Amino acid sequence: MRIIVVENYDEMSKKAALMIASQVMLKPDSVLGLATGDTPSGMYKELINLYGKKEVDFKEVRTFNLDEYYGLDRENSQSYYKYMMTNLFDNININTENINMPDGMAKDVNAFCDLYENKIKTLGGIDMQVLGIGGNGHIGFNEPNVNFEAQTHLVELDEQTIEANSRFFESIEDVPVKAISMGIKTIMNSKKIILLANGLNKADAIERAVKGKINPSIPASILQLHNDVTIIIDKDAASKL
Ligand code: F6R
């Protein structure tokens, strides 16, 4: 694991965007794995800036998102589909056919998950996967006591995740209790991984993920076994290392 500690959120976002832009420069048809939430939104702004300056071209890039709430329509303002369109895809030259997101309304969830996995494999696997981390150590929506062998599947969200994500909804009752998420195995099969974290509320999870024993109670701890992980964190998230 390479750990890069930066001053603040802006610096974290810029460094992560530069890593993605370099990946795309080296391999224009890169397969990117993408995350949603507060953590990567600054990175997406930076990528839009770089695109505006013609420093990165997304024409051939393919993307797979980590997760989507189960039971939310794409058009729901809180869907991760909407998040991605607003925060990135509507503002760059990606070909919409190259965007892949879990379908929160899939009727046959298992069949959908198999299809998602197969598509990732057919395209040669994920070249660079971006991750945030939950306060409980989750990556994607792989919650504590995860099965490290799981691929894309339907997950039940942890109480702590529902609580944390209620900030985006009108009330906690509106937060979906399930999601479709890439599994740990899907994530671990990525060739390169960048994990981003900022703020004191991530310091515990980062400490346990990086320095603790590899343990399903801290899903992110499995990343210690991956051979190309870069962790970019601000001083606050690094405060317990
Ligand atoms: C989002 C995802 C989650 C988030 C994590 C942190 O696609 O997979 O694992 O990365 O919950 O969320 P934020 O960044 O909002 O603190």
Side-chain angles (χ1 to χ4, degrees), residues 112-157:
F112 177 81
C113 293
D114 287 350
L115 218 81
Y116 205 67
E117 284 291 331
N118 284 338
K119 191 149 187 206
I120 294 174
K121 281 190 197 103
T122 310
L123 295 182
I126 292 172
D127 292 302
M128 185 173 268
Q129 173 68 57
V130 179
L131 298 174
I133 184 168
N136 63 0
H138 75 203
I139 47 177
F141 274 139
N142 294 285
E143 302 288 26
N145 305 319
V146 68
N147 168 10
F148 283 148
E149 287 301 310
Q151 297 193 314
T152 303
H153 63 307
L154 186 66
V155 295
E156 300 220 353
L157 299 179

Side-chain angles (χ1 to χ4, degrees), residues 9 34-41 44 65-68 80 83-84 129-143 161 164-165 167-168 181 187 196-198 201-202:
Y9 181 80
L34 299 177
T36 54
D38 280 336
T39 312
S41 60
Y44 293 138
N65 264 77
L66 275 171
D67 39 26
E68 177 61 282
Y80 286 167
Y83 171 102
M84 287 308 301
Q129 173 68 57
V130 179
L131 298 174
I133 184 168
N136 63 0
H138 75 203
I139 47 177
F141 274 139
N142 294 285
E143 302 288 26
T161 302
N165 290 8
R167 69 191 191 279
F168 299 114
S181 177
I187 293 171
L196 310 179
N198 65 290
N201 61 333
K202 298 291 172 73

Side-chain angles (χ1 to χ4, degrees), residues 5 57 65 104 169 216:
V5 180
D57 184 351
N65 264 77
F169 291 81

